[in-house]
Amino acid sequence: MKQNQDVIAEGFKGEKAIVLPYAVCNYQADNNITSKLHITHIGYYPNAKKHYRDRQEGCKEYILIYCEKGSGWIKQDDTTHNLKRNDVFIIPRDSAHCYGAKSNDPWSIYWIHFAGTDAALFKHIMGQVIHIDDADSNKHANRIQLFESIYKNLEMGYSPENLEYTSFCFQYFLASIQYQAQFRESNRIQVDNIIQDIIIFMKDNLENNINLDDISARFSYSKSHLINLFKQKTSYPPMVYYNQLRMQRACSYLQFTLLKIKEIAFKLHFYDPFHFSKAFTREMKMSPQEYRKKYQK
């Protein structure tokens, strides 16, 4: 099967995706914690009608596909595997493959590209369909919540703590598939704190051009205390972190909307398109035009 105008790699209503910058991926590969297992791409494609991908030379990362509903297929090397609701498949790295949604019942999938020196620990669940029964005891909702936690933390930025946390969470996510019986007995704990509230406030105001004074007033902290607290928890000053979130929002606009680059620049309160392009290229190692060409279909 060849890719043509009747099949698409991405571009589904309600989809979401994060592509981590090259510099962040390089950091993860060097960090003692994240080098063991780290995410490079993550997303969700709902009702992915006509979805199709073909990588005859394979991919440098492992690819996990979790079929939430509907059905699809994966051809790895010369074997075709059919996936349906609650099936998981991990494509080994450097393995020729293609996959797609069934035309009469297109799948909705959670997907993750990952790498790391400890990825081979999960080789027993790679290259084969792993089915998770529909029984309530299998805690599908907990597993999806874990995925969402990983996604939301990456969505909040790339501090060392966020990357390390998502690395551990992803190891737990894979363990929940490899050790299903044990996962059924586990409990998940969520912890909230003031830094998370500040980050949520930042995310809610990415198009309102807030500054340090606004954040300080909103949370009743002096600016100096806010900076020290934020750097202690995230390793970044608040406004550096805020600008990272703006870049992430810019990536989303470039990938999933038809907004012009100058419209995105002004929407996110950059001085002008040149300032936006320069800042974007510094963070993502490619220009906004190159990013859109690479990821938007």
Side-chain angles (χ1 to χ4, degrees):
M1 182 178 184
K2 294 183 178 180
Q3 192 167 3
N4 54 50
Q5 62 182 1
D6 294 326
V7 294
I8 56 177
E10 54 198 11
F12 311 102
K13 184 177 180 180
E15 73 178 3
K16 59 183 181 181
I18 295 174
V19 179
L20 276 67
Y22 292 112
V24 174
C25 292
N26 289 338
Y27 168 82
Q28 292 188 109
D30 292 335
N31 178 283
N32 287 335
I33 294 175
T34 56
S35 63
K36 295 178 174 61
L37 203 65
H38 58 271
I39 292 168
T40 61
H41 308 61
I42 183 172
Y44 173 64
Y45 290 164
N47 192 31
K49 188 177 181 180
K50 299 183 179 181
H51 183 214
Y52 178 74
R53 278 282 194 182
D54 189 346
R55 300 184 181 94
Q56 290 307 307
E57 296 183 358
C59 182
K60 64 180 181 179
E61 302 96 18
Y62 300 86
I63 303 173
L64 179 145
I65 294 178
Y66 189 129
C67 183
E68 177 194 26
K69 59 183 179 180
S71 57
W73 56 272
I74 296 174
K75 183 177 181 181
Q76 187 228 325
D77 293 328
D78 291 320
T79 304
T80 299
H81 308 268
N82 292 308
L83 273 72
K84 58 185 185 301
R85 174 181 169 84
N86 296 329
D87 283 347
V88 180
F89 195 97
I90 299 176
I91 303 170
R93 62 181 299 177
D94 300 321
S95 176
H97 65 269
C98 56
Y99 53 80
K102 292 287 183 69
S103 59
N104 60 342
D105 185 26
W107 60 12
S108 294
I109 57 171
Y110 295 90
W111 54 266
I112 296 174
H113 288 220
F114 65 96
T117 57
D118 281 358
L121 293 175
F122 299 95
K123 64 182 180 181
H124 300 297
I125 55 172
M126 293 181 182
Q128 60 180 306
V129 177
I130 304 296
H131 180 68
I132 303 171
D133 291 335
D134 258 332
D136 291 340
S137 60
N138 278 316
K139 301 167 67 174
H140 293 291
N142 296 62
R143 193 176 283 104
I144 298 306
Q145 286 174 3
L146 186 56
F147 178 96
E148 293 294 345
S149 177
I150 293 170
Y151 189 94
K152 288 177 181 177
N153 271 274
L154 291 175
E155 197 176 36
M156 286 184 178
Y158 308 122
S159 68
E161 289 77 13
N162 268 11
L163 296 173
E164 290 170 4
Y165 173 75
T166 56
S167 176
F168 285 125
C169 281
F170 183 53
Q171 184 172 353
Y172 182 40
F173 183 88
L174 290 176
S176 79
I177 298 168
Q178 182 157 299
Y179 306 104
Q180 292 183 39
Q182 289 75 16
F183 179 68
R184 286 196 292 266
E185 304 304 320
S186 65
N187 291 312
R188 188 170 160 275
I189 300 172
Q190 289 184 325
V191 179
D192 205 359
N193 57 41
I194 188 63
I195 298 301
Q196 289 176 317
D197 291 338
I198 293 173
I199 292 172
I200 290 170
F201 176 73
M202 290 178 173
K203 289 184 62 184
D204 289 342
N205 288 277
L206 290 176
E207 297 174 21
N208 292 329
N209 198 28
I210 61 172
N211 56 34
L212 189 60
D213 289 329
D214 298 320
I215 301 173
S216 177
R218 171 66 177 78
F219 291 93
S220 301
Y221 281 100
S222 69
K223 288 190 287 187
S224 59
H225 182 57
L226 178 63
I227 291 171
N228 289 335
L229 180 64
F230 206 89
K231 288 181 69 175
Q232 180 183 351
K233 296 293 184 180
T234 72
S235 300
Y236 292 102
M239 297 315 295
V240 171
Y241 205 97
Y242 178 70
N243 285 327
Q244 285 185 341
L245 295 177
R246 283 203 301 170
M247 281 299 144
Q248 192 176 82
R249 180 67 58 84
C251 287
S252 180
Y253 282 142
L254 288 167
Q255 187 170 356
F256 299 124
T257 76
L258 297 177
L259 289 172
K260 296 179 181 179
I261 289 174
K262 67 177 181 180
E263 292 175 324
I264 297 173
F266 292 131
K267 197 174 182 68
L268 294 175
H269 291 276
F270 286 87
Y271 300 131
D272 53 44
F274 174 77
H275 176 225
F276 166 64
S277 182
K278 184 177 180 181
F280 188 94
T281 302
R282 182 173 60 248
E283 288 295 323
M284 301 301 294
K285 305 305 178 188
M286 66 178 76
S287 69
Q289 294 90 339
E290 290 170 333
Y291 186 94
R292 171 164 276 173
K293 183 177 180 180
K294 182 172 182 179
Y295 291 111
Q296 186 183 72
K297 299 293 181 184

